[in-house]
Amino acid sequence: MSATIRITAASAVAAAALSAFATAPSAVASAGPAFRHTPVASHRLVGPGGRITHSTSSNWAGYAASGGTFTSVSASWVQPAVSCGSATTYSSFWVGIDGDGSNSVEQTGTEADCSGGRASYSSWYEMYPAYPVNYSNTVSPGDHFTATVSVSGTSFTLTLSDTTKGWTKTTKKSSSSAQKYSAEIIAEAPSSSSGVLPLSNFGTASFTASTANGQPIGNFSPDKINMASGSTTKATTSALSGGENFSVAWNHS
């Protein structure tokens, strides 16, 4: 979870972003960062010591395998369509290495946010604790995505493919601090320095072909994580089917 807020210093940049938002049609894909909000969302687990406790998290839902050395993680999903009310809300869908019990996360995925009753969709990669970086490619609800993060030594390859629109983004980054201790496939309520942000109503996100180290993630006895805040369950994760398929259902913002 990021402990900082990205501040937009130039008022012209802020005005341009607000103008783009004001003129964008409802529930239409956003190409890149025009719909990103300040504070900027980050994608790291919140919890004591950075660990998942009792298979619940304040901002993650999905599956996390830990306790070994992980060199790859991959999954496919259909980009959910969010239902927007008057509140500003956020949701992310991604695969990553590290983050459960470590201070880094190497991840890539998609975003589905709401502001002023309008939906925006985007894609990104993040080498936490660095800020997330948005791709400029257009994302639409219903697009089919496949994401993979792999590592060899200190070199990470983050690949995100929109197989509906036919584009692929491959980013190569290095990290000497990555522990490669966990692998995750997650639906998330992103966060800012003020804490976990409200979760967009994404309905149900379905993940398929979920693998770690080239094997079904179920082979690693992963944690099944539900998202909860106090007594409120925000998102519920299904059981694994075939060791590699599951869904996450939205319950509450």
Side-chain angles (χ1 to χ4, degrees):
M1 183 65 61
S2 175
T4 59
I5 297 177
R6 180 182 294 173
I7 301 298
T8 303
S11 59
V13 173
L18 289 172
S19 175
F21 171 75
T23 58
S26 177
V28 172
S30 168
F35 284 83
R36 297 295 292 175
H37 305 283
T38 301
V40 171
S42 187
H43 305 275
R44 182 174 173 268
L45 174 67
V46 171
R51 292 302 308 274
I52 298 164
T53 304
H54 303 303
S55 295
T56 63
S57 167
S58 61
N59 65 325
W60 283 14
Y63 280 88
S66 61
T69 298
F70 292 92
T71 57
S72 69
V73 61
S74 183
S76 298
W77 66 90
V78 176
Q79 176 71 6
V82 289
S83 298
C84 297
S86 59
T88 299
T89 58
Y90 306 81
S91 61
S92 299
F93 312 93
W94 54 268
V95 306
I97 291 175
D98 288 324
D100 178 11
S102 61
N103 293 321
S104 66
V105 196
E106 304 82 35
Q107 56 194 154
T108 188
T110 61
E111 192 91 6
D113 301 335
C114 294
S115 183
R118 300 175 185 269
S120 63
Y121 303 94
S122 58
S123 58
W124 50 269
Y125 77 88
E126 184 175 8
M127 296 288 290
Y128 183 89
Y131 285 115
V133 176
N134 276 18
Y135 293 124
S136 62
N137 304 71
T138 299
V139 174
S140 302
D143 285 1
H144 290 249
F145 280 89
T146 295
T148 301
V149 176
S150 61
V151 58
S152 177
T154 60
S155 299
F156 283 85
T157 301
L158 305 97
T159 303
L160 183 67
S161 297
D162 184 333
T163 59
T164 300
K165 289 189 168 63
W167 59 259
T168 295
K169 301 297 290 187
T170 299
T171 300
K172 295 184 180 293
K173 292 288 181 178
S174 294
S175 173
S176 58
S177 61
Q179 298 181 31
K180 310 167 197 171
Y181 180 77
S182 62
E184 303 89 26
I185 299 157
I186 297 294
E188 183 186 17
S191 61
S192 72
S193 62
S194 60
V196 178
L197 298 168
L199 181 65
S200 295
N201 180 357
F202 58 82
T204 299
S206 296
F207 295 88
T208 59
S210 303
T211 66
N213 291 353
Q215 304 176 47
I217 196 168
N219 289 4
F220 297 91
S221 300
D223 287 310
K224 180 168 76 79
I225 309 160
N226 291 325
M227 191 188 308
S229 177
S231 61
T232 301
T233 299
K234 297 166 67 176
T236 305
T237 302
S238 74
L240 282 168
S241 172
E244 58 183 21
N245 307 309
F246 68 95
S247 61
V248 176
W250 178 90
N251 298 115
H252 197 280
S253 291

